């Protein structure tokens, strides 16, 4: 069995915390936001949609994420801001769409020290100046500023993505795997989180903690015990990699340690825990070059099945992600089917912290979904733009997507091809109905064009 000094530190932190340490809890709730890397919508051992058993994994086991869903609310239709890491994280930090933020221009326009746009920790502190904020784990803004520059009180610094990987030359990240006692630093992050939460509980201070995991980004790292477990387990049809499954269970165990710490500190009843992925999983391992092809072109189900595609694309498999929330006033075991997107988080966290979304004049593309957490799941999120509009910056296959109601349109800029899907009837995006619905195509294209013209008109001429 592999054991490390770090694992022992984690154990000491998690078992040595007196229950009910915080005698007088702050009135404002604590918020813990856990962000996973490259994790598909149907990767958990419980379904992301109770009505669709295909939305669960046929191989992975995630008991602690299941615990979040059982104790709180699962969202069946949540979208990451982008289909790759950096633009998703940028969007969450500022509450703007990646289309608005730009790609190469982001670093020049969104330096937090310039004060052009408020960041998530700055907005929370404006709502309640007593909040202490921390960011641990993967940063990956690729824009030359650190978490402290963005307003966090504590962090691991500008970690990029490299600190989660061994990055050993000559290895194949898709097929090779590494046995370690601290896979993807999951134990380190649990220890960092426990230390921060314990100090805030002692002080009676409300806190916001973002734990940005390096898992389950390739390369594959797992413990010996987890790998042996999945080696022996019968493989699934869409999930069949024992090293990846072990890495996911190691991540899940780290999340369970955070939940246990909240219980031991006696602050769980005053803490919201959010779990989300920054984008979907890769469609296959190894990844394929023809990822835009119809699912029928491949000999086996994609890893995000029943969704189409994966990371790097704006098909549902690339942007629809697992999303779970547990906390005060949230009905245990409930489900919300309303569309939520990552740029809604800033406004939501601000309202939970005590801000008034109606009078705050937040400069954000998103809206608060606090009312949904309180059971009003039929009430739509109030955003400045009703449609959800995505853009994938990519010289090879740049494309955009707009979702409004049940309909989704994708536009591929170099070919001019458009695809239209009814997501209510065709979640897997297998039946392109653009030719049969020219009016709907025209309507959604006009909505997309109007938004780009408003926030980033360069996108309309970039690929011509």
């Amino acid at each position: 069995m592999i054991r490390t000094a770090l694992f022992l530190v984690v154990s000491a932190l998690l078992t040595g915390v007196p229950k009910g340490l915080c005698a007088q809890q702050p009135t404002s709730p604590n918020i813990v936001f856990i962000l996973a890397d490259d994790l598909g919508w149907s990767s958990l051992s419980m379904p992301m949609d109770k009505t669709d058993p295909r939305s669960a994994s046929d191989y992975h086991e995630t008991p602690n994420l299941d615990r979040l869903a059982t104790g709180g609310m699962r969202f069946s239709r949540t979208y990451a801001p982008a289909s790759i890491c950096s633009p998703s994280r940028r969007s969450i930090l500022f509450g703007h769409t990646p289309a608005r933020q730009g790609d190469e221009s982001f670093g020049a326009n969104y330096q937090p020290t310039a004060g052009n746009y408020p960041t998530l920790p700055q907005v929370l502190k404006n709502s309640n100046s007593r909040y202490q904020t921390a960011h641990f784990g993967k940063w990956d803004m690729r824009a030359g500023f650190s978490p402290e520059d963005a307003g966090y009180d504590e962090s691991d610094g500008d970690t990029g993505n490299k600190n989660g990987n061994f990055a050993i030359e000559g290895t194949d990240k898709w097929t090779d795997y590494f046995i370690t006692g601290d896979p993807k630093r999951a134990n380190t992050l649990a220890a960092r989180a426990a230390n921060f939460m314990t100090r805030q509980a002692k002080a009676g201070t409300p806190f916001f903690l973002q734990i940005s995991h390096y898992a389950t980004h390739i390369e594959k790292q797992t413990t010996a015990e987890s790998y042996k477990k999945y080696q022996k387990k019968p493989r699934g049809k869409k999930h069949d990699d024992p090293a990846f499954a072990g890495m996911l269970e190691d991540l899940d165990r780290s999340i369970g340690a955070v939940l246990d710490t909240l219980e031991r500190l006696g602050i769980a009843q005053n803490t919201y825990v959010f779990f989300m992925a920054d984008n979907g999983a890769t469609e296959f391992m190894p990844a394929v070059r023809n990822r835009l092809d119809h699912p029928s072109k491949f000999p086996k189900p994609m890893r995000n099945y029943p969704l189409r595609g994966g990371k790097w694309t704006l098909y549902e498999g690339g942007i629809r992600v697992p999303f779970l929330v547990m906390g005060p006033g949230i009905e245990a075991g409930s489900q919300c089917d309303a569309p939520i997107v990552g740029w809604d988080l800033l406004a939501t966290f601000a309202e939970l912290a005590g801000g008034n979304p109606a009078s705050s004049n937040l400069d954000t593309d998103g809206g608060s979904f606090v009312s949904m957490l309180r059971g009003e799941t039929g009430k739509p999120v109030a955003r400045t733009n009703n449609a959800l509009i995505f853009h994938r910056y990519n010289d090879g296959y740049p494309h955009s997507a707009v979702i409004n109601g049940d309909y989704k349109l994708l536009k591929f800029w170099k070919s001019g091809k458009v695809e239209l899907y009814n997501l209510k009837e065709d979640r897997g995006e297998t039946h392109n109905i653009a030719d049969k619905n020219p009016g709907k195509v025209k309507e959604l294209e006009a909505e997309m064009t109007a938004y780009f013209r408003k926030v980033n008109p360069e996108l309309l001429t970039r690929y011509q």
Side-chain angles (χ1 to χ4, degrees), residues 289-339:
R289 292 185 179 276
N290 59 327
R291 60 179 57 98
L292 298 177
D293 282 0
H294 193 276
S296 63
K297 300 291 186 181
F298 301 99
K300 61 179 290 187
M302 293 183 171
R303 294 176 66 236
N304 297 306
Y305 179 82
L307 306 184
R308 177 177 178 175
K311 181 180 180 179
W312 302 298
T313 80
L314 296 178
Y315 289 114
E316 292 291 285
I319 53 175
R320 190 186 291 211
V321 292
F323 188 51
L324 307 167
V325 188
M326 184 170 69
I330 299 177
E331 181 184 353
S334 56
Q335 177 170 314
C336 178
D337 299 317

Side-chain angles (χ1 to χ4, degrees), residues 166-188:
F166 284 116
I168 298 175
E169 293 184 10
T171 61
D172 187 325
K173 66 181 181 180
W174 298 108
T175 58
D176 294 345
Y177 64 90
F178 300 90
I179 299 298
T180 173
D182 188 17
K184 291 291 185 178
R185 304 197 176 187
N187 294 338
T188 301

